[in-house]
Amino acid sequence: MESVTTIDHPTLSPSRLMSQRDIRVINLLSRVASDITSPVGKARISACIVYQNEVVSFGINELKSHPLQAKFGKNEDAIYLHAEVSAIKNALRTLTIDNLSKTTLYICRVKYFDQTKQRMIFGLAKPCSGCRRCIRAFDIGRVVYTLDNSGIGEI
């Protein structure tokens, strides 16, 4: 009988600096990122858009091109979907552009803790220059991202 290996995904603990919603959403994204089966390079990044306390879209980094990513890529070779752009693209299916200014974009990166690949930790998920241009263009109200090992940053 084959043994099944489970990988521990990271979770944030309550802090005075983070709201319960921030912790809940980042922990959800941690599970999504940990489950990515085909990471782009070593990056396992997930993102979501929250509107009126509800997750309305998800996005992950993937080896798939899209015109929106080509428009906001950090350079002409950056054509593959970033999690942030994917989440914004998917949110436009249900939200108006005006509503995006009332949303929060959450971004989570997880990475292996060591060579055993049994445990994951948070990694820095600060948006690249192209994703920041996309975030500004769609006037996203708030951006929260994971920092190395634990904690969150905010734009």
Side-chain angles (χ1 to χ4, degrees):
M1 182 182 283
E2 278 185 47
S3 65
V4 177
T5 303
T6 57
I7 298 172
D8 290 333
H9 64 275
T11 57
L12 286 176
S13 300
S15 160
R16 292 180 303 141
L17 304 175
M18 296 177 255
S19 73
Q20 288 297 318
R21 180 179 67 191
D22 291 345
I23 293 168
R24 187 179 73 250
V25 174
I26 290 293
N27 286 340
L28 169 66
L29 287 176
S30 166
R31 290 189 299 276
V32 171
S34 296
D35 288 343
I36 294 173
T37 56
S38 302
V40 178
K42 293 181 181 178
R44 285 179 165 79
I45 303 172
S46 60
C48 70
I49 298 280
V50 173
Y51 177 69
Q52 296 181 340
N53 293 319
E54 298 228 4
V55 175
V56 295
S57 70
F58 285 95
I60 61 170
N61 60 325
E62 52 189 319
L63 288 173
K64 185 184 212 182
S65 61
H66 190 277
L68 192 61
Q69 182 64 50
K71 180 178 179 179
F72 292 107
K74 61 184 175 183
N75 60 53
E76 64 184 34
D77 296 324
I79 60 169
Y80 296 118
L81 268 174
H82 290 201
E84 303 94 312
V85 173
S86 181
I88 292 168
K89 170 185 75 73
N90 293 335
L92 288 169
R93 294 178 183 157
T94 57
L95 298 177
T96 65
I97 291 176
D98 290 340
N99 284 339
L100 284 176
S101 66
K102 302 170 193 160
T103 65
T104 299
L105 170 63
Y106 289 90
I107 312 154
C108 176
R109 177 181 181 182
V110 297
K111 58 187 180 180
Y112 288 114
F113 175 71
D114 59 22
Q115 298 297 335
T116 65
K117 297 186 177 185
Q118 298 299 307
R119 187 173 140 225
M120 296 188 127
I121 58 173
F122 288 111
L124 179 63
K126 188 173 184 178
C128 71
S129 60
C131 290
R132 286 193 306 268
R133 281 189 298 113
C134 184
I135 290 163
R136 280 192 302 273
F138 286 99
D139 197 27
I140 302 297
R142 179 173 176 244
V143 179
V144 176
Y145 58 91
T146 57
L147 301 173
D148 274 331
N149 298 321
S150 66
I152 58 173
E154 189 171 338
I155 297 175

